[in-house]
Amino acid sequence: MTTRKPHGNISSRLHGHPFDGTVDAPAGGVLARVGFAGGTGGTSLDDGVPRLTTHMVGEHNEPAEEIWVSTLPVTAGTAGEAVFAEDGEHLFYAVRLDARPVYRDAVRRMYDTALGFAFARGYTEMARMWNLVGGITDPNADGVEIYRDFCVGRAEAFAAWGDRVGRLPAATGIGTLSQGVDLCFIAVRPGRTTHIENPRQTPAYEYPARYGPKSPSFARATWLRGLGDGPGTLFVSGTASIVGAETVHVDDIAGQVDETLRNIEVLIGGENLAGHGVDRGFELKDLNQIRVYVRDAGDLPLVRERVRAVFPAHTEIAWFNVDVCRPDLLVEIEGVCR
Ligand code: 3EB
């Protein structure tokens, strides 16, 4: 008789409030809690669970919390300033970089340390990264936009580690309400990820130089194959109203919402995934754990109505009022399909 190994799959819940109940992690453990709060909280280990608290709540939105659980037992710890948790298949890692005049070198070191940590523990493929950047479209002390400054440091780190940590994964680059950078990611054992591009969009790492000296380092989505007969997960990057490399529907919030949803629809559809060798297909209604980022508070009512109308009532959606990484982008949307 053979004993079956547990699948070892991860999943998340996105609560529209700080979660104060018992986290349901059957037979496994909690990998991480990401809190969206009214102030920055950096990283901590709370009751043995890594926590990242990012400043994304102002007067126009409510606190929220995303919780990642695994079906496997989890161990957690700190590594310098960072916190992490691992289950033997997945690594969650979070770190905060405080405000500084110029970010480039510190971002490169932060990424270098993070990628090195993941690599040393055998989590050599990146599945999903979140880059939460305060003042993202403001100038740094040299007058360079902070997002472009950030992208240079990140690109330098990936250039150094790229051939060891696999290809660029799904990511989010978005503003927060405090200066500084919150970084967190999920890395996995090799052989499980497929990075997905969008036929409607220029790959971000090939954006023309007018968008910054170093192109952003991310894929449009990452497919994470399930273990055993467990389900796979499609991580959908922060997606905006960009066609080719250009922002479209400038100053038209309804147009930007619709174009963003169309981008996601094509990205996650069976035809696009098949072209990347993934034998699955999703529809918009399958997107869950959705985060909607809106630049202008005045657009929130329209965006809420338009986005809500597309998804089933049970879909978990959290709303944020933060800057997006190009001054002409009014909205960005991300989520997860299973
Ligand atoms: C875009 O498509 C919008 O720099 O990590 C989306 C997702 C965006 C991730 C990142 C940026 C990033 O270019 C911005």
PDB file of all heavy atoms in Angstrom, residues 89-122:
ATOM      1  N   GLU A  89       7.450  23.465  -0.565  1.00  0.00           N
ATOM      2  CA  GLU A  89       7.114  23.656  -1.978  1.00  0.00           C
ATOM      3  C   GLU A  89       7.042  25.128  -2.354  1.00  0.00           C
ATOM      4  O   GLU A  89       7.288  25.496  -3.498  1.00  0.00           O
ATOM      5  CB  GLU A  89       5.761  22.999  -2.313  1.00  0.00           C
ATOM      6  CG  GLU A  89       5.737  21.497  -2.147  1.00  0.00           C
ATOM      7  CD  GLU A  89       6.531  20.757  -3.229  1.00  0.00           C
ATOM      8  OE1 GLU A  89       6.914  21.388  -4.232  1.00  0.00           O
ATOM      9  OE2 GLU A  89       6.790  19.552  -3.041  1.00  0.00           O
ATOM     10  N   HIS A  90       6.622  25.958  -1.385  1.00  0.00           N
ATOM     11  CA  HIS A  90       6.407  27.386  -1.627  1.00  0.00           C
ATOM     12  C   HIS A  90       7.133  28.202  -0.563  1.00  0.00           C
ATOM     13  O   HIS A  90       7.161  27.810   0.606  1.00  0.00           O
ATOM     14  CB  HIS A  90       4.920  27.752  -1.530  1.00  0.00           C
ATOM     15  CG  HIS A  90       4.034  26.842  -2.305  1.00  0.00           C
ATOM     16  ND1 HIS A  90       3.524  25.675  -1.776  1.00  0.00           N
ATOM     17  CD2 HIS A  90       3.566  26.930  -3.576  1.00  0.00           C
ATOM     18  CE1 HIS A  90       2.774  25.065  -2.695  1.00  0.00           C
ATOM     19  NE2 HIS A  90       2.783  25.804  -3.793  1.00  0.00           N
ATOM     20  N   LEU A  91       7.662  29.326  -0.988  1.00  0.00           N
ATOM     21  CA  LEU A  91       8.277  30.287  -0.065  1.00  0.00           C
ATOM     22  C   LEU A  91       7.546  31.617  -0.203  1.00  0.00           C
ATOM     23  O   LEU A  91       7.380  32.127  -1.312  1.00  0.00           O
ATOM     24  CB  LEU A  91       9.755  30.500  -0.439  1.00  0.00           C
ATOM     25  CG  LEU A  91      10.463  31.681   0.253  1.00  0.00           C
ATOM     26  CD1 LEU A  91      10.709  31.388   1.733  1.00  0.00           C
ATOM     27  CD2 LEU A  91      11.788  32.003  -0.449  1.00  0.00           C
ATOM     28  N   PHE A  92       7.101  32.156   0.919  1.00  0.00           N
ATOM     29  CA  PHE A  92       6.610  33.529   0.934  1.00  0.00           C
ATOM     30  C   PHE A  92       7.674  34.369   1.630  1.00  0.00           C
ATOM     31  O   PHE A  92       8.208  33.971   2.666  1.00  0.00           O
ATOM     32  CB  PHE A  92       5.285  33.637   1.694  1.00  0.00           C
ATOM     33  CG  PHE A  92       4.777  35.057   1.761  1.00  0.00           C
ATOM     34  CD1 PHE A  92       3.910  35.535   0.787  1.00  0.00           C
ATOM     35  CD2 PHE A  92       5.179  35.917   2.778  1.00  0.00           C
ATOM     36  CE1 PHE A  92       3.461  36.850   0.823  1.00  0.00           C
ATOM     37  CE2 PHE A  92       4.737  37.230   2.817  1.00  0.00           C
ATOM     38  CZ  PHE A  92       3.874  37.698   1.845  1.00  0.00           C
ATOM     39  N   TYR A  93       7.969  35.535   1.066  1.00  0.00           N
ATOM     40  CA  TYR A  93       9.033  36.405   1.587  1.00  0.00           C
ATOM     41  C   TYR A  93       8.542  37.834   1.514  1.00  0.00           C
ATOM     42  O   TYR A  93       7.926  38.228   0.519  1.00  0.00           O
ATOM     43  CB  TYR A  93      10.262  36.220   0.703  1.00  0.00           C
ATOM     44  CG  TYR A  93      11.502  37.014   1.065  1.00  0.00           C
ATOM     45  CD1 TYR A  93      12.573  36.413   1.740  1.00  0.00           C
ATOM     46  CD2 TYR A  93      11.641  38.350   0.686  1.00  0.00           C
ATOM     47  CE1 TYR A  93      13.731  37.123   2.029  1.00  0.00           C
ATOM     48  CE2 TYR A  93      12.798  39.067   0.981  1.00  0.00           C
ATOM     49  CZ  TYR A  93      13.838  38.443   1.655  1.00  0.00           C
ATOM     50  OH  TYR A  93      14.986  39.152   1.936  1.00  0.00           O
ATOM     51  N   ALA A  94       8.783  38.615   2.562  1.00  0.00           N
ATOM     52  CA  ALA A  94       8.368  40.025   2.552  1.00  0.00           C
ATOM     53  C   ALA A  94       9.430  40.885   3.218  1.00  0.00           C
ATOM     54  O   ALA A  94      10.042  40.479   4.210  1.00  0.00           O
ATOM     55  CB  ALA A  94       7.034  40.203   3.279  1.00  0.00           C
ATOM     56  N   VAL A  95       9.618  42.070   2.668  1.00  0.00           N
ATOM     57  CA  VAL A  95      10.600  42.991   3.246  1.00  0.00           C
ATOM     58  C   VAL A  95      10.183  44.418   2.931  1.00  0.00           C
ATOM     59  O   VAL A  95       9.483  44.660   1.936  1.00  0.00           O
ATOM     60  CB  VAL A  95      12.026  42.677   2.711  1.00  0.00           C
ATOM     61  CG1 VAL A  95      12.158  42.969   1.219  1.00  0.00           C
ATOM     62  CG2 VAL A  95      13.090  43.416   3.519  1.00  0.00           C
ATOM     63  N   ARG A  96      10.570  45.331   3.795  1.00  0.00           N
ATOM     64  CA  ARG A  96      10.275  46.745   3.548  1.00  0.00           C
ATOM     65  C   ARG A  96      11.557  47.550   3.430  1.00  0.00           C
ATOM     66  O   ARG A  96      12.501  47.339   4.190  1.00  0.00           O
ATOM     67  CB  ARG A  96       9.429  47.327   4.686  1.00  0.00           C
ATOM     68  CG  ARG A  96       9.252  48.821   4.527  1.00  0.00           C
ATOM     69  CD  ARG A  96       8.232  49.449   5.437  1.00  0.00           C
ATOM     70  NE  ARG A  96       8.249  50.894   5.252  1.00  0.00           N
ATOM     71  CZ  ARG A  96       7.663  51.531   4.232  1.00  0.00           C
ATOM     72  NH1 ARG A  96       7.001  50.846   3.319  1.00  0.00           N
ATOM     73  NH2 ARG A  96       7.736  52.842   4.124  1.00  0.00           N
ATOM     74  N   LEU A  97      11.564  48.439   2.468  1.00  0.00           N
ATOM     75  CA  LEU A  97      12.687  49.362   2.276  1.00  0.00           C
ATOM     76  C   LEU A  97      12.197  50.754   2.640  1.00  0.00           C
ATOM     77  O   LEU A  97      11.241  51.239   2.036  1.00  0.00           O
ATOM     78  CB  LEU A  97      13.096  49.311   0.803  1.00  0.00           C
ATOM     79  CG  LEU A  97      14.372  50.006   0.385  1.00  0.00           C
ATOM     80  CD1 LEU A  97      15.565  49.310   1.009  1.00  0.00           C
ATOM     81  CD2 LEU A  97      14.478  49.968  -1.141  1.00  0.00           C
ATOM     82  N   ASP A  98      12.831  51.361   3.628  1.00  0.00           N
ATOM     83  CA  ASP A  98      12.347  52.677   4.056  1.00  0.00           C
ATOM     84  C   ASP A  98      12.641  53.763   3.028  1.00  0.00           C
ATOM     85  O   ASP A  98      13.448  53.572   2.124  1.00  0.00           O
ATOM     86  CB  ASP A  98      12.953  53.033   5.416  1.00  0.00           C
ATOM     87  CG  ASP A  98      12.262  52.250   6.525  1.00  0.00           C
ATOM     88  OD1 ASP A  98      11.030  52.023   6.413  1.00  0.00           O
ATOM     89  OD2 ASP A  98      12.959  51.836   7.472  1.00  0.00           O
ATOM     90  N   ALA A  99      11.995  54.897   3.216  1.00  0.00           N
ATOM     91  CA  ALA A  99      12.144  56.031   2.307  1.00  0.00           C
ATOM     92  C   ALA A  99      13.598  56.451   2.188  1.00  0.00           C
ATOM     93  O   ALA A  99      14.368  56.364   3.148  1.00  0.00           O
ATOM     94  CB  ALA A  99      11.317  57.200   2.832  1.00  0.00           C
ATOM     95  N   ARG A 100      13.996  56.856   1.010  1.00  0.00           N
ATOM     96  CA  ARG A 100      15.352  57.366   0.786  1.00  0.00           C
ATOM     97  C   ARG A 100      15.348  58.279  -0.430  1.00  0.00           C
ATOM     98  O   ARG A 100      14.412  58.227  -1.232  1.00  0.00           O
ATOM     99  CB  ARG A 100      16.348  56.220   0.624  1.00  0.00           C
ATOM    100  CG  ARG A 100      16.077  55.311  -0.556  1.00  0.00           C
ATOM    101  CD  ARG A 100      16.736  53.961  -0.326  1.00  0.00           C
ATOM    102  NE  ARG A 100      16.208  53.332   0.869  1.00  0.00           N
ATOM    103  CZ  ARG A 100      16.957  52.774   1.826  1.00  0.00           C
ATOM    104  NH1 ARG A 100      18.273  52.741   1.724  1.00  0.00           N
ATOM    105  NH2 ARG A 100      16.404  52.243   2.880  1.00  0.00           N
ATOM    106  N   PRO A 101      16.383  59.101  -0.572  1.00  0.00           N
ATOM    107  CA  PRO A 101      16.382  60.083  -1.666  1.00  0.00           C
ATOM    108  C   PRO A 101      16.371  59.428  -3.042  1.00  0.00           C
ATOM    109  O   PRO A 101      15.702  59.894  -3.952  1.00  0.00           O
ATOM    110  CB  PRO A 101      17.676  60.874  -1.440  1.00  0.00           C
ATOM    111  CG  PRO A 101      18.054  60.632  -0.016  1.00  0.00           C
ATOM    112  CD  PRO A 101      17.541  59.272   0.332  1.00  0.00           C
ATOM    113  N   VAL A 102      17.146  58.344  -3.189  1.00  0.00           N
ATOM    114  CA  VAL A 102      17.243  57.629  -4.457  1.00  0.00           C
ATOM    115  C   VAL A 102      17.151  56.136  -4.136  1.00  0.00           C
ATOM    116  O   VAL A 102      17.755  55.667  -3.176  1.00  0.00           O
ATOM    117  CB  VAL A 102      18.579  57.957  -5.177  1.00  0.00           C
ATOM    118  CG1 VAL A 102      18.740  57.106  -6.431  1.00  0.00           C
ATOM    119  CG2 VAL A 102      18.643  59.452  -5.532  1.00  0.00           C
ATOM    120  N   TYR A 103      16.389  55.395  -4.918  1.00  0.00           N
ATOM    121  CA  TYR A 103      16.079  53.997  -4.570  1.00  0.00           C
ATOM    122  C   TYR A 103      16.948  52.949  -5.251  1.00  0.00           C
ATOM    123  O   TYR A 103      17.102  51.833  -4.755  1.00  0.00           O
ATOM    124  CB  TYR A 103      14.603  53.706  -4.891  1.00  0.00           C
ATOM    125  CG  TYR A 103      13.692  54.303  -3.854  1.00  0.00           C
ATOM    126  CD1 TYR A 103      13.163  55.583  -4.012  1.00  0.00           C
ATOM    127  CD2 TYR A 103      13.406  53.611  -2.683  1.00  0.00           C
ATOM    128  CE1 TYR A 103      12.367  56.149  -3.034  1.00  0.00           C
ATOM    129  CE2 TYR A 103      12.607  54.167  -1.696  1.00  0.00           C
ATOM    130  CZ  TYR A 103      12.089  55.438  -1.887  1.00  0.00           C
ATOM    131  OH  TYR A 103      11.310  55.990  -0.912  1.00  0.00           O
ATOM    132  N   ARG A 104      17.458  53.297  -6.413  1.00  0.00           N
ATOM    133  CA  ARG A 104      18.091  52.327  -7.292  1.00  0.00           C
ATOM    134  C   ARG A 104      19.011  51.306  -6.602  1.00  0.00           C
ATOM    135  O   ARG A 104      18.786  50.095  -6.693  1.00  0.00           O
ATOM    136  CB  ARG A 104      18.874  53.140  -8.324  1.00  0.00           C
ATOM    137  CG  ARG A 104      19.805  52.401  -9.167  1.00  0.00           C
ATOM    138  CD  ARG A 104      20.620  53.400  -9.995  1.00  0.00           C
ATOM    139  NE  ARG A 104      21.513  52.679 -10.862  1.00  0.00           N
ATOM    140  CZ  ARG A 104      21.867  53.098 -12.067  1.00  0.00           C
ATOM    141  NH1 ARG A 104      21.421  54.246 -12.526  1.00  0.00           N
ATOM    142  NH2 ARG A 104      22.670  52.388 -12.791  1.00  0.00           N
ATOM    143  N   ASP A 105      20.037  51.785  -5.884  1.00  0.00           N
ATOM    144  CA  ASP A 105      21.012  50.860  -5.298  1.00  0.00           C
ATOM    145  C   ASP A 105      20.391  50.024  -4.187  1.00  0.00           C
ATOM    146  O   ASP A 105      20.669  48.827  -4.053  1.00  0.00           O
ATOM    147  CB  ASP A 105      22.233  51.626  -4.773  1.00  0.00           C
ATOM    148  CG  ASP A 105      23.059  52.218  -5.915  1.00  0.00           C
ATOM    149  OD1 ASP A 105      22.889  51.764  -7.069  1.00  0.00           O
ATOM    150  OD2 ASP A 105      23.845  53.154  -5.652  1.00  0.00           O
ATOM    151  N   ALA A 106      19.551  50.674  -3.375  1.00  0.00           N
ATOM    152  CA  ALA A 106      18.911  49.947  -2.275  1.00  0.00           C
ATOM    153  C   ALA A 106      17.935  48.901  -2.798  1.00  0.00           C
ATOM    154  O   ALA A 106      17.808  47.813  -2.234  1.00  0.00           O
ATOM    155  CB  ALA A 106      18.205  50.926  -1.342  1.00  0.00           C
ATOM    156  N   VAL A 107      17.240  49.236  -3.889  1.00  0.00           N
ATOM    157  CA  VAL A 107      16.314  48.262  -4.488  1.00  0.00           C
ATOM    158  C   VAL A 107      17.094  47.085  -5.056  1.00  0.00           C
ATOM    159  O   VAL A 107      16.704  45.921  -4.901  1.00  0.00           O
ATOM    160  CB  VAL A 107      15.433  48.939  -5.570  1.00  0.00           C
ATOM    161  CG1 VAL A 107      14.739  47.896  -6.449  1.00  0.00           C
ATOM    162  CG2 VAL A 107      14.414  49.859  -4.918  1.00  0.00           C
ATOM    163  N   ARG A 108      18.215  47.379  -5.708  1.00  0.00           N
ATOM    164  CA  ARG A 108      19.036  46.285  -6.235  1.00  0.00           C
ATOM    165  C   ARG A 108      19.497  45.373  -5.100  1.00  0.00           C
ATOM    166  O   ARG A 108      19.400  44.145  -5.190  1.00  0.00           O
ATOM    167  CB  ARG A 108      20.255  46.829  -6.986  1.00  0.00           C
ATOM    168  CG  ARG A 108      21.037  45.720  -7.704  1.00  0.00           C
ATOM    169  CD  ARG A 108      22.376  46.187  -8.254  1.00  0.00           C
ATOM    170  NE  ARG A 108      23.238  46.670  -7.190  1.00  0.00           N
ATOM    171  CZ  ARG A 108      23.705  47.917  -7.111  1.00  0.00           C
ATOM    172  NH1 ARG A 108      23.431  48.802  -8.048  1.00  0.00           N
ATOM    173  NH2 ARG A 108      24.447  48.280  -6.086  1.00  0.00           N
ATOM    174  N   ARG A 109      19.952  45.956  -3.998  1.00  0.00           N
ATOM    175  CA  ARG A 109      20.413  45.136  -2.857  1.00  0.00           C
ATOM    176  C   ARG A 109      19.260  44.356  -2.228  1.00  0.00           C
ATOM    177  O   ARG A 109      19.410  43.193  -1.864  1.00  0.00           O
ATOM    178  CB  ARG A 109      21.077  46.030  -1.799  1.00  0.00           C
ATOM    179  CG  ARG A 109      22.489  46.480  -2.172  1.00  0.00           C
ATOM    180  CD  ARG A 109      23.215  47.075  -0.964  1.00  0.00           C
ATOM    181  NE  ARG A 109      22.534  48.258  -0.443  1.00  0.00           N
ATOM    182  CZ  ARG A 109      22.755  49.507  -0.871  1.00  0.00           C
ATOM    183  NH1 ARG A 109      23.654  49.737  -1.821  1.00  0.00           N
ATOM    184  NH2 ARG A 109      22.102  50.520  -0.346  1.00  0.00           N
ATOM    185  N   MET A 110      18.117  45.014  -2.091  1.00  0.00           N
ATOM    186  CA  MET A 110      16.946  44.339  -1.521  1.00  0.00           C
ATOM    187  C   MET A 110      16.574  43.118  -2.363  1.00  0.00           C
ATOM    188  O   MET A 110      16.346  42.020  -1.843  1.00  0.00           O
ATOM    189  CB  MET A 110      15.769  45.315  -1.457  1.00  0.00           C
ATOM    190  CG  MET A 110      14.440  44.666  -1.102  1.00  0.00           C
ATOM    191  SD  MET A 110      13.063  45.854  -1.052  1.00  0.00           S
ATOM    192  CE  MET A 110      12.808  46.165  -2.798  1.00  0.00           C
ATOM    193  N   TYR A 111      16.499  43.309  -3.680  1.00  0.00           N
ATOM    194  CA  TYR A 111      16.159  42.207  -4.589  1.00  0.00           C
ATOM    195  C   TYR A 111      17.250  41.146  -4.608  1.00  0.00           C
ATOM    196  O   TYR A 111      16.967  39.946  -4.648  1.00  0.00           O
ATOM    197  CB  TYR A 111      15.919  42.751  -6.004  1.00  0.00           C
ATOM    198  CG  TYR A 111      14.456  42.790  -6.369  1.00  0.00           C
ATOM    199  CD1 TYR A 111      13.725  43.959  -6.250  1.00  0.00           C
ATOM    200  CD2 TYR A 111      13.801  41.650  -6.802  1.00  0.00           C
ATOM    201  CE1 TYR A 111      12.375  43.992  -6.568  1.00  0.00           C
ATOM    202  CE2 TYR A 111      12.464  41.663  -7.118  1.00  0.00           C
ATOM    203  CZ  TYR A 111      11.755  42.834  -7.008  1.00  0.00           C
ATOM    204  OH  TYR A 111      10.426  42.859  -7.307  1.00  0.00           O
ATOM    205  N   ASP A 112      18.495  41.601  -4.603  1.00  0.00           N
ATOM    206  CA  ASP A 112      19.624  40.675  -4.622  1.00  0.00           C
ATOM    207  C   ASP A 112      19.580  39.765  -3.398  1.00  0.00           C
ATOM    208  O   ASP A 112      19.722  38.538  -3.495  1.00  0.00           O
ATOM    209  CB  ASP A 112      20.913  41.512  -4.654  1.00  0.00           C
ATOM    210  CG  ASP A 112      22.133  40.663  -4.861  1.00  0.00           C
ATOM    211  OD1 ASP A 112      22.159  39.904  -5.857  1.00  0.00           O
ATOM    212  OD2 ASP A 112      23.058  40.731  -4.022  1.00  0.00           O
ATOM    213  N   THR A 113      19.331  40.360  -2.232  1.00  0.00           N
ATOM    214  CA  THR A 113      19.239  39.586  -0.991  1.00  0.00           C
ATOM    215  C   THR A 113      18.047  38.627  -1.048  1.00  0.00           C
ATOM    216  O   THR A 113      18.150  37.454  -0.673  1.00  0.00           O
ATOM    217  CB  THR A 113      19.073  40.550   0.211  1.00  0.00           C
ATOM    218  OG1 THR A 113      20.193  41.436   0.218  1.00  0.00           O
ATOM    219  CG2 THR A 113      18.996  39.793   1.521  1.00  0.00           C
ATOM    220  N   ALA A 114      16.929  39.130  -1.546  1.00  0.00           N
ATOM    221  CA  ALA A 114      15.701  38.323  -1.576  1.00  0.00           C
ATOM    222  C   ALA A 114      15.848  37.143  -2.542  1.00  0.00           C
ATOM    223  O   ALA A 114      15.515  36.001  -2.201  1.00  0.00           O
ATOM    224  CB  ALA A 114      14.521  39.201  -1.984  1.00  0.00           C
ATOM    225  N   LEU A 115      16.338  37.414  -3.749  1.00  0.00           N
ATOM    226  CA  LEU A 115      16.496  36.345  -4.733  1.00  0.00           C
ATOM    227  C   LEU A 115      17.543  35.336  -4.261  1.00  0.00           C
ATOM    228  O   LEU A 115      17.378  34.124  -4.440  1.00  0.00           O
ATOM    229  CB  LEU A 115      16.882  36.926  -6.105  1.00  0.00           C
ATOM    230  CG  LEU A 115      15.832  37.843  -6.755  1.00  0.00           C
ATOM    231  CD1 LEU A 115      16.372  38.449  -8.055  1.00  0.00           C
ATOM    232  CD2 LEU A 115      14.523  37.114  -7.007  1.00  0.00           C
ATOM    233  N   GLY A 116      18.597  35.844  -3.630  1.00  0.00           N
ATOM    234  CA  GLY A 116      19.634  34.963  -3.090  1.00  0.00           C
ATOM    235  C   GLY A 116      19.084  34.046  -2.003  1.00  0.00           C
ATOM    236  O   GLY A 116      19.408  32.858  -1.940  1.00  0.00           O
ATOM    237  N   PHE A 117      18.217  34.604  -1.159  1.00  0.00           N
ATOM    238  CA  PHE A 117      17.608  33.817  -0.080  1.00  0.00           C
ATOM    239  C   PHE A 117      16.751  32.699  -0.663  1.00  0.00           C
ATOM    240  O   PHE A 117      16.834  31.530  -0.253  1.00  0.00           O
ATOM    241  CB  PHE A 117      16.760  34.736   0.806  1.00  0.00           C
ATOM    242  CG  PHE A 117      16.133  34.035   1.972  1.00  0.00           C
ATOM    243  CD1 PHE A 117      16.818  33.897   3.168  1.00  0.00           C
ATOM    244  CD2 PHE A 117      14.850  33.523   1.873  1.00  0.00           C
ATOM    245  CE1 PHE A 117      16.242  33.241   4.252  1.00  0.00           C
ATOM    246  CE2 PHE A 117      14.262  32.869   2.944  1.00  0.00           C
ATOM    247  CZ  PHE A 117      14.955  32.722   4.132  1.00  0.00           C
ATOM    248  N   ALA A 118      15.902  33.063  -1.622  1.00  0.00           N
ATOM    249  CA  ALA A 118      15.013  32.072  -2.240  1.00  0.00           C
ATOM    250  C   ALA A 118      15.839  30.985  -2.934  1.00  0.00           C
ATOM    251  O   ALA A 118      15.567  29.782  -2.793  1.00  0.00           O
ATOM    252  CB  ALA A 118      14.080  32.754  -3.240  1.00  0.00           C
ATOM    253  N   PHE A 119      16.848  31.408  -3.671  1.00  0.00           N
ATOM    254  CA  PHE A 119      17.691  30.483  -4.423  1.00  0.00           C
ATOM    255  C   PHE A 119      18.388  29.501  -3.477  1.00  0.00           C
ATOM    256  O   PHE A 119      18.396  28.290  -3.711  1.00  0.00           O
ATOM    257  CB  PHE A 119      18.714  31.274  -5.238  1.00  0.00           C
ATOM    258  CG  PHE A 119      19.589  30.417  -6.093  1.00  0.00           C
ATOM    259  CD1 PHE A 119      19.125  29.928  -7.307  1.00  0.00           C
ATOM    260  CD2 PHE A 119      20.873  30.095  -5.694  1.00  0.00           C
ATOM    261  CE1 PHE A 119      19.926  29.133  -8.098  1.00  0.00           C
ATOM    262  CE2 PHE A 119      21.687  29.305  -6.482  1.00  0.00           C
ATOM    263  CZ  PHE A 119      21.209  28.818  -7.691  1.00  0.00           C
ATOM    264  N   ALA A 120      18.942  30.034  -2.382  1.00  0.00           N
ATOM    265  CA  ALA A 120      19.699  29.200  -1.443  1.00  0.00           C
ATOM    266  C   ALA A 120      18.810  28.130  -0.811  1.00  0.00           C
ATOM    267  O   ALA A 120      19.271  27.051  -0.446  1.00  0.00           O
ATOM    268  CB  ALA A 120      20.327  30.079  -0.353  1.00  0.00           C
ATOM    269  N   ARG A 121      17.511  28.413  -0.681  1.00  0.00           N
ATOM    270  CA  ARG A 121      16.585  27.443  -0.087  1.00  0.00           C
ATOM    271  C   ARG A 121      15.927  26.540  -1.115  1.00  0.00           C
ATOM    272  O   ARG A 121      15.052  25.746  -0.762  1.00  0.00           O
ATOM    273  CB  ARG A 121      15.527  28.174   0.722  1.00  0.00           C
ATOM    274  CG  ARG A 121      16.164  28.761   1.962  1.00  0.00           C
ATOM    275  CD  ARG A 121      15.163  29.334   2.920  1.00  0.00           C
ATOM    276  NE  ARG A 121      15.900  29.743   4.096  1.00  0.00           N
ATOM    277  CZ  ARG A 121      15.705  29.261   5.315  1.00  0.00           C
ATOM    278  NH1 ARG A 121      14.761  28.397   5.551  1.00  0.00           N
ATOM    279  NH2 ARG A 121      16.455  29.679   6.317  1.00  0.00           N
ATOM    280  N   GLY A 122      16.316  26.723  -2.369  1.00  0.00           N
ATOM    281  CA  GLY A 122      15.803  25.819  -3.404  1.00  0.00           C
ATOM    282  C   GLY A 122      14.495  26.245  -4.042  1.00  0.00           C
ATOM    283  O   GLY A 122      13.904  25.497  -4.819  1.00  0.00           O
TER     284      GLY A 122
END
